[in-house]
Amino acid sequence: MPAPVSGASRGYTAASRAGSHGFRAPPSRAARTLLSAAQDELAQAEHLVAPTRRFAAAHLAALRGAAAVLAVRAQPGSRAGRPTSAWTLLGVVAPELAEWAAFFAAGSTTRAAAEAGLTRLVSQRDADDLVRQAGQFLDLAARLVLGDPA
């Protein structure tokens, strides 16, 4: 499970976000909306009782957070060819989140199984851990999207 990484250790500083003139355009409405939806989804996950529902909601919250980062970082038309997963694309456009992307990509099949009602794959502990990890990931995603110093 990935741990939060400080801005300096991942090579991503306020200066690199701001550009050479110290100005950074505000995030798009779409990015802010996705980030808000991710935070709402995580808040819902925290209150769900069934482990499968908690796990699925936390994973979807993280996916929405990834989409918010992609809305800020991805360049239109930069990936011609076949479709790719959001987690794969996130690792490319935000290398500082590549470990998180791999972690959540690995949980995608478990989320799909949980959504299908397969309860034996997700314990209460698994759900609790994913809610916590999704929260850590969303904190990092919010800093990237909103330009807050890490």
Side-chain angles (χ1 to χ4, degrees):
M1 100 183 84
V5 181
S6 73
S9 64
R10 66 177 179 257
Y12 192 73
T13 64
S16 64
R17 279 194 308 268
S20 61
H21 301 294
F23 173 77
R24 182 179 189 275
S28 69
R29 169 180 249 146
R32 290 189 319 268
T33 300
L34 286 163
L35 187 58
S36 178
Q39 293 164 337
D40 290 347
E41 185 88 33
L42 184 62
Q44 288 178 338
E46 291 170 348
H47 293 96
L48 293 171
V49 176
T52 52
R53 292 185 65 211
R54 283 172 57 82
F55 187 96
H59 196 276
L60 287 173
L63 186 56
R64 290 189 205 301
V69 173
L70 292 173
V72 170
R73 291 272 189 97
Q75 299 298 317
S78 63
R79 296 222 14 128
R82 65 181 194 162
T84 187
S85 79
W87 298 118
T88 300
L89 186 56
L90 183 67
V92 172
V93 302
E96 66 271 33
L97 298 178
E99 190 174 347
W100 281 106
F103 172 76
F104 285 111
S108 293
T109 52
T110 303
R111 186 198 80 226
E115 289 174 327
L118 298 176
T119 59
R120 72 181 189 286
L121 296 178
V122 179
S123 70
Q124 188 67 43
R125 173 73 186 260
D126 294 333
D128 291 346
D129 287 348
L130 194 66
V131 167
R132 180 180 40 77
Q133 291 157 335
Q136 292 171 343
F137 174 73
L138 288 181
D139 287 345
L140 291 171
R143 286 188 220 138
L144 293 177
V145 169
L146 302 174
D148 294 341

